[in-house]
Amino acid sequence: MLKFLLINLRSHREVLPVDDIALHLKKLYPNAKIDLLASQDCKADPKNFDETFTFDSTGAKFLKRFFCEFKMILKLKKHKYNCALITQASNKAAVIAKSAKIKHIIGFESNDETANRLLTYKIKSLDFDHLDSVLTALNFREV
């Protein structure tokens, strides 16, 4: 079974609504598991996702924020996702996806070269035709 994780840690900077991406993925891969990792203020509809993880460590002291992120990474790692789609330029999202051992990470190219190296596929804009071509290049198949 294909497993996708959509990551949206800053809803006010969302490039494409995660609901639209989830529905598009369901159309392409009807049997895929599609989960969401999002900030608490994300406006996504939970019905569009198999599982939703909320993530908010803003305002927390460094040590608490570190342990919060570490626990989330361990939780995500257990799911063994095939692909993460990061819906906005976010270094933190790329680090979380890479640390969770997600093989294919699709995200927006940023000014931070270190963060760019964590992405499997760097994109400048995300429209559904571009997303389809990236997924085709990854050769995902329904099982």
Side-chain angles (χ1 to χ4, degrees), residues 91 108-120 122:
N91 298 349
F108 288 91
E109 191 169 14
S110 73
N111 296 330
D112 184 348
E113 194 54 43
T114 304
N116 286 338
R117 278 187 251 139
L118 298 175
L119 302 174
T120 311
K122 293 176 267 313

Side-chain angles (χ1 to χ4, degrees), residues 3 7 14 19 39 48 53 55 60:
K3 295 179 182 180
I7 304 176
E14 188 173 293
D19 288 321
S39 61
N48 293 325
F53 305 98
F55 185 79

Side-chain angles (χ1 to χ4, degrees), residues 1 7 23 36 51 64 71 77 81 89-90 101 125 143:
M1 172 192 287
I7 304 176
L23 294 171
L36 173 67
E51 196 166 349
K64 184 174 182 182
K71 284 180 3 186
K77 199 182 224 183
Y81 292 103
S90 170
K101 304 285 188 213
S125 67
V143 178

Side-chain angles (χ1 to χ4, degrees), residues 62-73:
F62 173 78
L63 202 53
K64 184 174 182 182
R65 193 170 57 241
F66 172 79
F67 282 115
C68 177
E69 292 170 10
F70 184 71
K71 284 180 3 186
M72 182 58 70
I73 289 166

Side-chain angles (χ1 to χ4, degrees), residues 119-138:
L119 302 174
T120 311
Y121 290 91
K122 293 176 267 313
I123 53 178
K124 294 187 190 306
S125 67
L126 183 61
D127 59 50
F128 291 129
D129 290 334
H130 189 151
L131 179 59
D132 291 351
S133 67
V134 169
L135 293 171
T136 301
L138 289 172

